[in-house]
Amino acid sequence: VGGMADWLVDVAGVRTGSLALFRPTLNLIDYQFEFLARIDTRSLNWVVRAAGLDEYQLCTLTAMPGAELEFTRMAVIAGVAETPVTAPVRIAGKPRSAMTVRMQVAGGSFTVSMDGKMIDQWNDDRLSMGGIGFKGAANDRARLYWVRLSSTQSIGKEYQEQ
C-alpha cells in the first residue's frame, strides 16, 4: 500500500522511497519486526502501528557527525506529524554500514534496538493495531537487505521477505 514507484530493487537489496506499507500486516496487534539495512544517505526511516498512510509511528535513525546514530520517533495521527522525540543517548554507527534493527510492539509498548543494543522504549496506546512499512526521500535513502516479522497475536503468521 502506498508509493513504490520510486523504490529501486537490484541484486544488493531495495532502496527505499515513498512511504509503503506491507498490506498483510495492517491488522496486527503484537509483533516483533526485524530487518537488516544500511543508511545510504542521511537516515533510515520505518513505520510501525501503521493503520494507513496517515496514521503510524515513524522511527528514524540519523547518521550524525562522529560516527554516531541518533534515534527519533514521532506519531503521525490523521496525517499530522507530532513533534519528534529524540532518544537521550546516541549509539555508535555510521552510514554505509549494515545494521540489524529490531522492534518489539506489544499493546501500547514499543522497544527498539540496533545490533542487540536497546536504543529506546516508550508507551503510546493511541494506535491499537497496525502494520509495518518503510519510507525514504530523494536525498534521504536507505537500503534494505531483509525483513522478518513475527506476529504474536491477531493473524498469527510469520512473514519473511528476502
Side-chain angles (χ1 to χ4, degrees), residues 1 4 21 23 53-54 62 68-70 74 76 89 116 118 123 125 140-141 151:
V1 175
M4 291 188 61
L21 308 176
R23 183 186 313 261
L53 295 172
D54 63 347
T62 303
E68 291 182 314
L69 297 174
E70 181 177 82
M74 78 172 101
V76 175
V89 178
M118 189 173 86
N123 292 304
D125 59 6
D140 192 12
R141 294 202 184 229
S151 170

Side-chain angles (χ1 to χ4, degrees), residues 133-144:
F134 290 92
K135 179 179 180 175
N139 297 319
D140 192 12
R141 294 202 184 229
R143 182 173 295 274
L144 298 172

Side-chain angles (χ1 to χ4, degrees), residues 80-155:
V80 178
E82 296 181 348
T83 303
V85 176
T86 302
V89 178
R90 291 181 178 172
I91 55 175
K94 57 186 179 181
R96 312 284 263 168
S97 297
M99 63 189 87
T100 302
V101 176
R102 182 181 187 124
M103 291 271 328
Q104 176 76 35
V105 180
S109 177
F110 301 83
T111 304
V112 62
S113 63
M114 187 193 88
D115 293 336
K117 297 177 190 122
M118 189 173 86
I119 301 170
D120 199 7
Q121 185 173 3
W122 72 97
N123 292 304
D124 186 337
D125 59 6
R126 291 176 291 173
L127 299 172
S128 61
M129 77 169 97
I132 63 166
F134 290 92
K135 179 179 180 175
N139 297 319
D140 192 12
R141 294 202 184 229
R143 182 173 295 274
L144 298 172
Y145 298 106
W146 56 258
V147 175
R148 182 178 304 126
L149 176 70
S150 300
S151 170
T152 56
Q153 280 191 343
S154 187
I155 61 175

Side-chain angles (χ1 to χ4, degrees), residues 6-17 34-46 61 94-101 134-137 140-147:
D6 58 345
W7 285 48
L8 301 172
V9 180
D10 59 29
V11 295
V14 175
R15 284 192 53 210
T16 59
E34 185 176 27
F35 57 92
L36 179 66
R38 79 170 194 206
I39 297 171
D40 279 345
T41 310
R42 199 170 114 55
S43 68
L44 166 65
N45 303 288
W46 68 96
L61 277 172
K94 57 186 179 181
R96 312 284 263 168
S97 297
M99 63 189 87
T100 302
V101 176
F134 290 92
K135 179 179 180 175
D140 192 12
R141 294 202 184 229
R143 182 173 295 274
L144 298 172
Y145 298 106
W146 56 258
V147 175

Side-chain angles (χ1 to χ4, degrees), residues 18-36:
S18 300
L19 176 60
L21 308 176
F22 187 40
R23 183 186 313 261
T25 68
L26 298 182
N27 292 323
L28 289 178
I29 296 172
D30 295 344
Y31 51 90
Q32 292 181 356
F33 172 39
E34 185 176 27
F35 57 92
L36 179 66

